[in-house]
Amino acid sequence: MNILSLLNAYQYLGSLSWLNDLYGTLPTILYTILAVLGGAGSVYAIILGINLAKSESEDARKNAQNRIKNTIIGIVVLLALVLFITLGIPEILHAVYPDLVV
């Protein structure tokens, strides 16, 4: 079962009907953002790794290590947010509004 079928598993009714259109286009937008920023973050982490290997002073090494750590944390947070938006919010809405989410 893929994520798109999970998003289309619910039909929103009444005051939540605008979510049907949103969840029709949201995965495309989120996955594009995820691909671009994830790819850019990965390339940036590789460049920082090269800078770490070429650094000659201890301060430069610590600076490069902190930047690599922050880049990896940013990529993981981005992935977690995309997964929460695509998988968590529909489940929360279904739990809160059981009569409006079928």
Coordinates of all heavy atoms in Angstrom, one line a residue:
M1 N 0.9 -1.2 0.0 CA 0.0 0.0 0.0 C 0.9 1.2 0.0 O 1.8 1.4 0.8 CB -0.9 -0.1 1.2 CG -1.9 1.0 1.3 SD -3.0 0.9 2.7 CE -4.5 0.5 1.9
N2 N 0.7 2.1 -1.0 CA 1.5 3.3 -1.0 C 0.8 4.5 -0.3 O -0.3 4.4 0.1 CB 1.9 3.7 -2.5 CG 0.7 4.0 -3.3 OD1 -0.4 4.3 -2.8 ND2 0.8 4.0 -4.6
I3 N 1.6 5.6 -0.2 CA 1.1 6.7 0.6 C -0.1 7.4 -0.1 O -1.0 7.8 0.6 CB 2.3 7.7 0.8 CG1 3.3 7.1 1.8 CG2 1.8 9.0 1.4 CD1 4.5 7.9 2.0
L4 N -0.1 7.4 -1.4 CA -1.2 8.1 -2.1 C -2.5 7.3 -1.8 O -3.6 8.0 -1.7 CB -0.9 8.1 -3.6 CG 0.2 9.1 -4.0 CD1 0.4 9.0 -5.5 CD2 -0.2 10.5 -3.6
S5 N -2.5 6.0 -1.8 CA -3.7 5.3 -1.5 C -4.1 5.5 0.0 O -5.3 5.5 0.3 CB -3.5 3.8 -1.8 OG -2.6 3.2 -0.9
L6 N -3.2 5.7 0.9 CA -3.5 6.1 2.2 C -4.2 7.4 2.3 O -5.2 7.6 3.1 CB -2.3 6.1 3.2 CG -1.7 4.7 3.5 CD1 -0.4 4.9 4.2 CD2 -2.7 3.9 4.3
L7 N -3.7 8.4 1.5 CA -4.3 9.7 1.5 C -5.7 9.7 0.9 O -6.6 10.4 1.4 CB -3.5 10.7 0.8 CG -2.2 11.1 1.4 CD1 -1.4 12.0 0.5 CD2 -2.5 11.9 2.7
N8 N -5.9 8.9 -0.1 CA -7.2 8.8 -0.7 C -8.2 7.8 0.0 O -9.3 7.6 -0.5 CB -7.1 8.4 -2.2 CG -6.3 9.4 -3.0 OD1 -6.5 10.6 -2.7 ND2 -5.5 9.0 -3.9
A9 N -7.7 7.2 1.1 CA -8.6 6.3 1.8 C -9.7 7.0 2.5 O -10.7 6.4 2.8 CB -7.7 5.5 2.9
Y10 N -9.6 8.3 2.8 CA -10.6 9.0 3.5 C -11.3 10.0 2.5 O -10.7 10.6 1.7 CB -10.1 9.8 4.7 CG -9.5 9.0 5.8 CD1 -8.2 9.1 6.1 CD2 -10.4 8.1 6.5 CE1 -7.7 8.3 7.2 CE2 -9.9 7.4 7.5 CZ -8.6 7.5 7.9 OH -8.1 6.7 8.9
Q11 N -12.6 10.1 2.7 CA -13.4 11.1 2.0 C -14.0 12.1 3.0 O -14.6 11.7 4.0 CB -14.6 10.4 1.3 CG -15.5 11.3 0.5 CD -14.8 11.8 -0.7 OE1 -13.9 11.2 -1.3 NE2 -15.2 13.0 -1.2
Y12 N -13.6 13.3 2.8 CA -14.0 14.4 3.8 C -15.4 15.0 3.4 O -15.6 15.3 2.2 CB -12.9 15.5 3.9 CG -11.6 14.9 4.3 CD1 -10.6 14.6 3.4 CD2 -11.3 14.6 5.6 CE1 -9.4 14.1 3.8 CE2 -10.1 14.1 6.0 CZ -9.2 13.8 5.1 OH -8.0 13.3 5.5
L13 N -16.2 15.1 4.4 CA -17.6 15.6 4.1 C -17.8 16.9 4.8 O -17.1 17.3 5.8 CB -18.6 14.6 4.6 CG -18.4 13.2 4.0 CD1 -19.4 12.2 4.7 CD2 -18.6 13.1 2.5
G14 N -18.9 17.6 4.5 CA -19.3 18.8 5.2 C -18.3 19.9 5.2 O -17.8 20.3 4.1
S15 N -18.0 20.4 6.4 CA -17.1 21.6 6.5 C -15.7 21.2 6.2 O -14.8 22.1 6.1 CB -17.2 22.2 7.9 OG -16.8 21.2 8.9
L16 N -15.4 19.9 6.1 CA -14.0 19.5 5.8 C -13.8 19.1 4.4 O -12.8 18.5 4.0 CB -13.6 18.3 6.7 CG -13.5 18.5 8.2 CD1 -13.2 17.2 8.9 CD2 -12.5 19.6 8.5
S17 N -14.8 19.3 3.5 CA -14.8 18.9 2.1 C -13.6 19.5 1.3 O -13.2 19.0 0.3 CB -16.1 19.1 1.4 OG -16.4 20.5 1.4
W18 N -13.2 20.7 1.8 CA -12.1 21.4 1.1 C -10.8 20.5 1.2 O -9.9 20.7 0.4 CB -11.8 22.8 1.7 CG -11.5 22.8 3.1 CD1 -12.4 22.8 4.1 CD2 -10.2 22.8 3.7 NE1 -11.7 22.8 5.3 CE2 -10.4 22.8 5.1 CE3 -8.9 22.8 3.2 CZ2 -9.3 22.8 6.0 CZ3 -7.9 22.8 4.0 CH2 -8.0 22.8 5.4
L19 N -10.7 19.6 2.2 CA -9.5 18.8 2.3 C -9.4 17.8 1.2 O -8.3 17.3 0.9 CB -9.5 18.1 3.7 CG -9.3 19.0 4.9 CD1 -9.5 18.2 6.1 CD2 -7.9 19.5 4.8
N20 N -10.5 17.4 0.5 CA -10.4 16.5 -0.6 C -9.5 17.1 -1.7 O -8.7 16.4 -2.3 CB -11.8 16.2 -1.2 CG -12.6 15.4 -0.2 OD1 -12.1 14.6 0.5 ND2 -13.9 15.7 -0.1
D21 N -9.7 18.4 -2.0 CA -8.9 19.0 -3.0 C -7.4 19.2 -2.6 O -6.5 19.0 -3.3 CB -9.4 20.4 -3.4 CG -10.8 20.3 -4.1 OD1 -11.0 19.3 -4.7 OD2 -11.6 21.3 -4.0
L22 N -7.3 19.5 -1.3 CA -6.0 19.7 -0.7 C -5.2 18.4 -0.8 O -4.0 18.4 -1.2 CB -6.1 20.2 0.7 CG -4.7 20.4 1.4 CD1 -4.0 21.6 0.8 CD2 -5.0 20.6 2.9
Y23 N -5.7 17.3 -0.3 CA -5.0 16.1 -0.3 C -4.9 15.5 -1.7 O -4.2 14.5 -1.9 CB -5.6 15.1 0.7 CG -5.1 15.3 2.1 CD1 -5.9 15.8 3.1 CD2 -3.7 15.1 2.4 CE1 -5.4 16.1 4.3 CE2 -3.2 15.4 3.6 CZ -4.1 15.8 4.6 OH -3.6 16.1 5.8
G24 N -5.6 16.1 -2.7 CA -5.4 15.7 -4.1 C -4.1 16.2 -4.7 O -3.4 15.6 -5.5
T25 N -3.7 17.5 -4.2 CA -2.5 18.1 -4.8 C -1.4 18.1 -3.8 O -0.2 18.3 -4.2 CB -2.9 19.6 -5.2 OG1 -3.3 20.3 -4.0 CG2 -3.9 19.6 -6.3
L26 N -1.6 18.0 -2.5 CA -0.6 18.1 -1.5 C 0.6 17.1 -1.7 O 1.8 17.5 -1.6 CB -1.2 18.0 -0.1 CG -0.2 18.3 1.0 CD1 0.2 19.7 1.0 CD2 -0.9 18.0 2.3
P27 N 0.3 15.9 -2.0 CA 1.5 14.9 -2.1 C 2.5 15.3 -3.2 O 3.7 15.2 -3.0 CB 0.8 13.6 -2.4 CG -0.5 13.7 -1.9 CD -0.9 15.1 -2.0
T28 N 2.0 15.8 -4.3 CA 2.9 16.2 -5.4 C 3.8 17.4 -4.9 O 5.0 17.3 -5.2 CB 2.1 16.7 -6.6 OG1 1.2 15.6 -7.0 CG2 3.0 17.0 -7.8
I29 N 3.2 18.3 -4.2 CA 4.0 19.5 -3.8 C 5.0 19.1 -2.7 O 6.1 19.4 -2.8 CB 3.0 20.6 -3.2 CG1 2.1 21.1 -4.3 CG2 3.8 21.7 -2.5 CD1 1.0 22.0 -3.9
L30 N 4.5 18.3 -1.7 CA 5.4 17.9 -0.6 C 6.5 17.0 -1.1 O 7.7 17.1 -0.7 CB 4.6 17.1 0.4 CG 3.7 18.0 1.3 CD1 2.9 17.1 2.3 CD2 4.5 19.0 2.1
Y31 N 6.2 16.1 -2.1 CA 7.3 15.2 -2.5 C 8.3 15.9 -3.4 O 9.5 15.6 -3.4 CB 6.7 14.0 -3.3 CG 5.9 13.1 -2.3 CD1 4.7 12.5 -2.8 CD2 6.3 12.9 -1.0 CE1 4.0 11.7 -1.9 CE2 5.5 12.1 -0.1 CZ 4.4 11.5 -0.6 OH 3.7 10.8 0.2
T32 N 7.8 16.9 -4.1 CA 8.8 17.8 -4.9 C 9.7 18.5 -3.9 O 10.9 18.6 -4.2 CB 8.0 18.7 -5.8 OG1 7.1 18.0 -6.6 CG2 8.9 19.6 -6.6
I33 N 9.1 19.1 -2.9 CA 9.9 19.9 -1.9 C 10.9 18.9 -1.2 O 12.1 19.2 -1.0 CB 9.0 20.6 -0.9 CG1 8.3 21.7 -1.5 CG2 9.8 21.1 0.3 CD1 7.2 22.3 -0.7
L34 N 10.4 17.7 -0.9 CA 11.3 16.7 -0.2 C 12.4 16.3 -1.1 O 13.6 16.2 -0.7 CB 10.4 15.5 0.2 CG 11.2 14.4 0.9 CD1 11.7 14.9 2.3 CD2 10.3 13.2 1.1
A35 N 12.1 16.1 -2.4 CA 13.2 15.7 -3.3 C 14.2 16.8 -3.5 O 15.4 16.5 -3.5 CB 12.6 15.3 -4.7
V36 N 13.8 18.0 -3.7 CA 14.7 19.1 -3.9 C 15.6 19.4 -2.7 O 16.8 19.5 -2.8 CB 14.0 20.4 -4.4 CG1 14.9 21.6 -4.4 CG2 13.3 20.1 -5.8
L37 N 14.9 19.6 -1.6 CA 15.6 19.9 -0.4 C 16.4 18.7 0.2 O 17.5 18.9 0.7 CB 14.7 20.4 0.7 CG 14.0 21.8 0.4 CD1 13.1 22.2 1.6 CD2 15.1 22.8 0.2
G38 N 15.9 17.5 0.0 CA 16.7 16.4 0.5 C 17.9 16.2 -0.4 O 19.0 15.9 0.1
G39 N 17.8 16.4 -1.7 CA 18.9 16.2 -2.6 C 20.0 17.3 -2.3 O 21.2 17.1 -2.3
A40 N 19.5 18.6 -2.2 CA 20.4 19.7 -1.9 C 21.1 19.5 -0.5 O 22.3 19.7 -0.4 CB 19.6 21.0 -1.9
G41 N 20.3 19.0 0.4 CA 20.9 18.7 1.8 C 22.0 17.6 1.7 O 23.0 17.7 2.4
S42 N 21.7 16.6 0.9 CA 22.7 15.5 0.8 C 24.0 16.0 0.1 O 25.1 15.6 0.5 CB 22.1 14.4 0.0 OG 20.9 13.9 0.7
V43 N 23.8 16.8 -0.9 CA 25.0 17.3 -1.6 C 25.8 18.2 -0.7 O 27.0 18.2 -0.6 CB 24.6 18.0 -2.9 CG1 25.7 18.8 -3.5 CG2 24.0 17.0 -3.9
Y44 N 25.0 19.0 0.1 CA 25.7 19.9 1.0 C 26.4 19.2 2.1 O 27.5 19.5 2.5 CB 24.7 20.9 1.6 CG 25.2 21.9 2.5 CD1 26.1 22.9 2.0 CD2 24.8 22.0 3.9 CE1 26.6 23.9 2.9 CE2 25.3 23.0 4.7 CZ 26.2 23.9 4.2 OH 26.7 24.9 5.0
A45 N 25.8 18.1 2.6 CA 26.5 17.2 3.6 C 27.8 16.6 3.0 O 28.8 16.5 3.7 CB 25.6 16.1 4.1
I46 N 27.8 16.2 1.7 CA 29.0 15.6 1.1 C 30.0 16.7 1.0 O 31.2 16.4 1.3 CB 28.6 15.0 -0.3 CG1 27.7 13.8 -0.1 CG2 29.9 14.7 -1.1 CD1 27.1 13.3 -1.3
I47 N 29.6 17.9 0.6 CA 30.6 19.0 0.5 C 31.2 19.3 1.9 O 32.4 19.5 2.0 CB 30.0 20.3 -0.1 CG1 29.7 20.0 -1.6 CG2 30.9 21.5 0.0 CD1 28.8 21.1 -2.2
L48 N 30.4 19.3 2.9 CA 30.9 19.6 4.3 C 31.8 18.4 4.7 O 32.8 18.7 5.4 CB 29.7 19.7 5.2 CG 28.9 21.0 5.1 CD1 27.7 21.0 6.0 CD2 29.8 22.2 5.4
G49 N 31.5 17.2 4.3 CA 32.4 16.1 4.6 C 33.8 16.2 4.0 O 34.8 15.9 4.6
I50 N 33.8 16.7 2.8 CA 35.0 17.0 2.1 C 35.8 18.1 2.8 O 37.0 18.0 3.0 CB 34.8 17.3 0.6 CG1 34.3 16.1 -0.1 CG2 36.1 17.8 0.0 CD1 33.8 16.4 -1.5
N51 N 35.1 19.1 3.2 CA 35.7 20.2 4.0 C 36.3 19.7 5.3 O 37.3 20.2 5.7 CB 34.7 21.4 4.2 CG 34.4 22.1 2.9 OD1 35.2 22.0 2.0 ND2 33.4 22.9 2.9
L52 N 35.5 18.8 5.9 CA 36.0 18.2 7.2 C 37.3 17.5 7.0 O 38.2 17.6 7.8 CB 34.9 17.3 7.8 CG 35.3 16.6 9.1 CD1 35.5 17.5 10.2 CD2 34.2 15.6 9.4
A53 N 37.3 16.7 5.9 CA 38.5 15.9 5.6 C 39.7 16.8 5.3 O 40.9 16.4 5.6 CB 38.3 14.9 4.5
K54 N 39.5 17.9 4.6 CA 40.6 18.8 4.2 C 41.0 19.9 5.3 O 42.0 20.5 5.1 CB 40.2 19.6 3.0 CG 40.1 18.7 1.8 CD 39.7 19.4 0.5 CE 39.5 20.8 0.5 NZ 39.1 21.4 -0.8
S55 N 40.2 20.0 6.4 CA 40.5 21.0 7.4 C 41.8 20.7 8.1 O 42.1 19.5 8.4 CB 39.3 21.1 8.4 OG 39.1 19.9 9.0
E56 N 42.5 21.7 8.4 CA 43.8 21.6 9.0 C 43.8 21.9 10.5 O 44.6 21.4 11.3 CB 44.8 22.4 8.3 CG 45.0 22.0 6.8 CD 46.0 22.9 6.1 OE1 46.6 23.8 6.7 OE2 46.2 22.6 4.9
S57 N 42.9 22.8 10.9 CA 42.9 23.2 12.3 C 41.7 22.6 13.0 O 40.7 22.1 12.4 CB 42.8 24.8 12.4 OG 41.5 25.2 12.0
E58 N 41.8 22.5 14.3 CA 40.8 21.9 15.2 C 39.5 22.7 15.1 O 38.4 22.1 15.1 CB 41.3 21.8 16.6 CG 40.4 21.0 17.5 CD 40.2 19.5 17.1 OE1 41.2 19.0 16.6 OE2 39.1 19.0 17.4
D59 N 39.6 24.0 15.1 CA 38.4 24.9 15.0 C 37.6 24.6 13.7 O 36.4 24.6 13.7 CB 38.8 26.3 15.1 CG 39.2 26.7 16.5 OD1 38.8 26.0 17.4 OD2 39.8 27.8 16.6
A60 N 38.3 24.5 12.6 CA 37.7 24.2 11.3 C 37.0 22.8 11.3 O 35.9 22.7 10.8 CB 38.7 24.3 10.2
R61 N 37.6 21.8 12.0 CA 37.0 20.5 12.1 C 35.7 20.6 12.9 O 34.7 20.0 12.5 CB 38.0 19.5 12.7 CG 39.0 19.0 11.8 CD 39.7 17.8 12.4 NE 41.0 17.8 11.7 CZ 42.2 18.3 12.3 NH1 42.2 18.7 13.5 NH2 43.3 18.2 11.6
K62 N 35.8 21.3 14.0 CA 34.6 21.4 14.9 C 33.5 22.1 14.2 O 32.3 21.7 14.3 CB 34.9 22.1 16.2 CG 35.7 21.2 17.2 CD 35.9 21.9 18.5 CE 36.7 21.0 19.4 NZ 36.9 21.7 20.7
N63 N 33.8 23.2 13.5 CA 32.8 23.9 12.7 C 32.2 23.0 11.6 O 31.0 23.0 11.4 CB 33.5 25.1 12.1 CG 32.5 26.1 11.4 OD1 31.3 26.0 11.7 ND2 33.0 26.9 10.6
A64 N 33.0 22.3 10.9 CA 32.5 21.4 9.9 C 31.6 20.3 10.5 O 30.6 19.9 9.9 CB 33.6 20.8 9.1
Q65 N 32.0 19.7 11.6 CA 31.2 18.7 12.3 C 29.9 19.2 12.7 O 28.8 18.5 12.5 CB 32.0 18.1 13.5 CG 33.1 17.2 13.1 CD 33.9 16.8 14.4 OE1 33.8 17.4 15.4 NE2 34.7 15.7 14.2
N66 N 29.8 20.4 13.2 CA 28.6 21.0 13.7 C 27.7 21.3 12.5 O 26.4 21.1 12.5 CB 28.8 22.3 14.4 CG 29.3 22.0 15.8 OD1 29.1 21.0 16.4 ND2 30.0 23.0 16.4
R67 N 28.2 21.7 11.4 CA 27.4 22.0 10.2 C 26.9 20.7 9.6 O 25.7 20.7 9.1 CB 28.3 22.8 9.2 CG 28.6 24.2 9.7 CD 29.5 24.9 8.8 NE 28.8 25.4 7.6 CZ 29.4 26.1 6.6 NH1 30.7 26.3 6.7 NH2 28.7 26.5 5.6
I68 N 27.7 19.6 9.6 CA 27.2 18.3 9.1 C 26.1 17.8 10.0 O 25.0 17.4 9.5 CB 28.4 17.3 9.0 CG1 29.3 17.7 7.9 CG2 27.8 15.9 8.8 CD1 30.6 16.8 7.9
K69 N 26.3 17.9 11.3 CA 25.2 17.5 12.2 C 23.9 18.3 12.0 O 22.8 17.7 11.9 CB 25.7 17.7 13.6 CG 24.7 17.2 14.7 CD 25.2 17.4 16.1 CE 25.4 18.9 16.3 NZ 25.7 19.3 17.7
N70 N 24.0 19.6 11.9 CA 22.8 20.4 11.7 C 22.1 20.1 10.3 O 20.9 20.1 10.2 CB 23.2 21.9 11.7 CG 23.6 22.3 13.1 OD1 23.2 21.6 14.1 ND2 24.3 23.4 13.3
T71 N 22.9 19.8 9.3 CA 22.4 19.5 8.0 C 21.6 18.1 8.1 O 20.5 18.0 7.6 CB 23.5 19.4 6.9 OG1 24.1 20.6 6.9 CG2 22.9 19.0 5.6
I72 N 22.2 17.2 8.7 CA 21.5 15.9 8.8 C 20.2 16.0 9.7 O 19.2 15.4 9.4 CB 22.5 14.8 9.4 CG1 23.6 14.5 8.4 CG2 21.8 13.5 9.8 CD1 24.7 13.7 8.8
I73 N 20.3 16.7 10.8 CA 19.1 17.0 11.6 C 18.0 17.7 10.8 O 16.9 17.3 10.8 CB 19.5 17.8 12.8 CG1 20.3 17.0 13.8 CG2 18.2 18.3 13.5 CD1 20.9 17.7 15.0
G74 N 18.4 18.6 9.9 CA 17.4 19.3 9.1 C 16.8 18.4 8.1 O 15.5 18.5 7.9
I75 N 17.5 17.5 7.5 CA 16.9 16.5 6.6 C 16.0 15.6 7.3 O 14.9 15.3 6.8 CB 18.1 15.8 5.8 CG1 18.9 16.7 4.9 CG2 17.5 14.6 5.0 CD1 20.1 16.1 4.3
V76 N 16.4 15.1 8.4 CA 15.5 14.2 9.2 C 14.2 14.9 9.6 O 13.1 14.3 9.5 CB 16.3 13.6 10.4 CG1 15.3 12.9 11.3 CG2 17.4 12.7 9.9
V77 N 14.3 16.1 10.1 CA 13.1 16.9 10.5 C 12.2 17.1 9.3 O 11.0 17.0 9.4 CB 13.5 18.2 11.2 CG1 12.3 19.2 11.3 CG2 14.2 18.0 12.5
L78 N 12.8 17.4 8.1 CA 12.0 17.6 6.9 C 11.2 16.4 6.6 O 10.0 16.4 6.3 CB 12.9 18.1 5.8 CG 12.2 18.2 4.4 CD1 11.2 19.3 4.4 CD2 13.2 18.3 3.3
L79 N 11.9 15.2 6.6 CA 11.2 14.0 6.3 C 10.1 13.7 7.4 O 9.0 13.2 7.0 CB 12.3 12.8 6.3 CG 11.7 11.4 6.1 CD1 11.1 11.3 4.7 CD2 12.8 10.4 6.2
A80 N 10.4 13.9 8.6 CA 9.4 13.7 9.7 C 8.2 14.6 9.5 O 7.0 14.1 9.6 CB 10.0 13.9 11.0
L81 N 8.4 15.8 9.1 CA 7.2 16.7 8.9 C 6.4 16.3 7.7 O 5.2 16.3 7.7 CB 7.7 18.2 8.7 CG 8.2 18.9 10.0 CD1 8.8 20.2 9.6 CD2 7.0 19.0 10.9
V82 N 7.1 15.9 6.6 CA 6.3 15.4 5.4 C 5.5 14.2 5.8 O 4.3 14.1 5.4 CB 7.3 15.2 4.2 CG1 6.6 14.4 3.1 CG2 7.8 16.5 3.7
L83 N 6.1 13.3 6.5 CA 5.4 12.1 6.9 C 4.2 12.4 7.8 O 3.1 11.8 7.7 CB 6.3 11.0 7.5 CG 7.2 10.4 6.6 CD1 8.2 9.5 7.3 CD2 6.5 9.6 5.5
F84 N 4.4 13.3 8.7 CA 3.3 13.7 9.6 C 2.2 14.4 8.9 O 1.0 14.1 9.1 CB 3.8 14.6 10.7 CG 2.8 15.1 11.6 CD1 2.2 14.3 12.6 CD2 2.3 16.4 11.5 CE1 1.2 14.7 13.4 CE2 1.3 16.9 12.4 CZ 0.7 16.0 13.3
I85 N 2.5 15.2 8.0 CA 1.4 15.9 7.2 C 0.7 15.0 6.3 O -0.5 15.0 6.3 CB 2.1 17.1 6.4 CG1 2.5 18.2 7.3 CG2 1.0 17.6 5.4 CD1 3.3 19.3 6.6
T86 N 1.4 14.0 5.7 CA 0.7 13.1 4.8 C 0.0 11.9 5.5 O -1.0 11.4 5.0 CB 1.6 12.6 3.7 OG1 2.7 11.9 4.4 CG2 2.1 13.7 2.8
L87 N 0.5 11.5 6.6 CA 0.0 10.3 7.3 C -0.7 10.6 8.6 O -1.7 10.0 8.9 CB 1.1 9.3 7.5 CG 1.8 8.7 6.3 CD1 2.9 7.8 6.7 CD2 0.8 8.1 5.3
G88 N -0.2 11.5 9.4 CA -0.7 11.8 10.7 C -1.9 12.6 10.7 O -2.9 12.3 11.5
I89 N -2.0 13.7 9.9 CA -3.1 14.6 10.0 C -4.4 13.9 9.6 O -5.4 14.1 10.2 CB -2.8 15.9 9.2 CG1 -1.7 16.7 9.9 CG2 -4.1 16.7 9.0 CD1 -1.3 18.0 9.3
P90 N -4.4 13.1 8.5 CA -5.7 12.4 8.2 C -6.2 11.5 9.3 O -7.4 11.5 9.6 CB -5.4 11.6 6.9 CG -4.3 12.4 6.3 CD -3.4 12.9 7.4
E91 N -5.3 10.9 10.0 CA -5.7 10.0 11.1 C -6.2 10.8 12.2 O -7.2 10.4 12.9 CB -4.5 9.1 11.5 CG -4.1 8.1 10.5 CD -5.1 7.1 10.2 OE1 -5.9 6.7 11.1 OE2 -5.2 6.7 9.0
I92 N -5.6 11.9 12.5 CA -6.1 12.8 13.6 C -7.4 13.3 13.3 O -8.3 13.4 14.1 CB -5.0 13.9 13.9 CG1 -3.8 13.4 14.5 CG2 -5.6 15.0 14.8 CD1 -2.6 14.4 14.5
L93 N -7.6 13.8 12.0 CA -8.9 14.3 11.6 C -10.0 13.2 11.7 O -11.1 13.5 12.1 CB -8.9 14.9 10.2 CG -8.2 16.2 10.1 CD1 -8.0 16.6 8.6 CD2 -8.9 17.3 10.8
H94 N -9.6 12.0 11.3 CA -10.6 10.9 11.4 C -11.0 10.6 12.9 O -12.1 10.3 13.2 CB -10.0 9.6 10.8 CG -10.9 8.5 10.8 ND1 -12.1 8.5 10.1 CD2 -10.9 7.3 11.4 CE1 -12.7 7.3 10.3 NE2 -12.0 6.6 11.1
A95 N -10.0 10.8 13.8 CA -10.3 10.5 15.2 C -11.2 11.6 15.8 O -12.0 11.4 16.6 CB -9.0 10.3 16.0
V96 N -10.9 12.9 15.4 CA -11.6 14.0 16.0 C -13.0 14.2 15.3 O -14.0 14.5 16.1 CB -10.8 15.3 15.8 CG1 -11.6 16.5 16.2 CG2 -9.5 15.2 16.6
Y97 N -13.1 14.0 14.0 CA -14.4 14.2 13.3 C -14.8 12.9 12.7 O -14.8 12.7 11.4 CB -14.3 15.3 12.3 CG -13.9 16.6 12.7 CD1 -12.6 17.1 12.5 CD2 -14.7 17.4 13.4 CE1 -12.2 18.3 12.9 CE2 -14.4 18.7 13.9 CZ -13.1 19.1 13.6 OH -12.7 20.4 14.0
P98 N -15.2 11.9 13.4 CA -15.5 10.6 12.8 C -16.7 10.6 11.9 O -16.8 9.9 10.9 CB -15.8 9.7 14.0 CG -16.1 10.6 15.1 CD -15.4 11.9 14.9
D99 N -17.7 11.6 12.1 CA -18.8 11.7 11.2 C -18.6 12.5 9.9 O -19.3 12.4 9.0 CB -20.0 12.3 11.9 CG -19.7 13.7 12.6 OD1 -18.5 13.9 12.8 OD2 -20.6 14.5 12.8
L100 N -17.5 13.3 9.9 CA -17.1 14.1 8.7 C -16.0 13.4 7.9 O -15.7 13.9 6.8 CB -16.7 15.5 9.1 CG -17.8 16.4 9.7 CD1 -17.2 17.7 10.1 CD2 -18.9 16.5 8.8
V101 N -15.4 12.4 8.4 CA -14.3 11.7 7.6 C -14.8 10.2 7.4 O -14.9 9.5 8.4 CB -13.0 11.8 8.4 CG1 -11.9 11.1 7.6 CG2 -12.6 13.2 8.7
V102 N -15.0 9.9 6.2 CA -15.5 8.5 5.9 C -14.4 7.8 5.2 O -13.7 8.2 4.3 CB -16.8 8.6 5.0 CG1 -17.3 7.2 4.7 CG2 -17.8 9.4 5.6

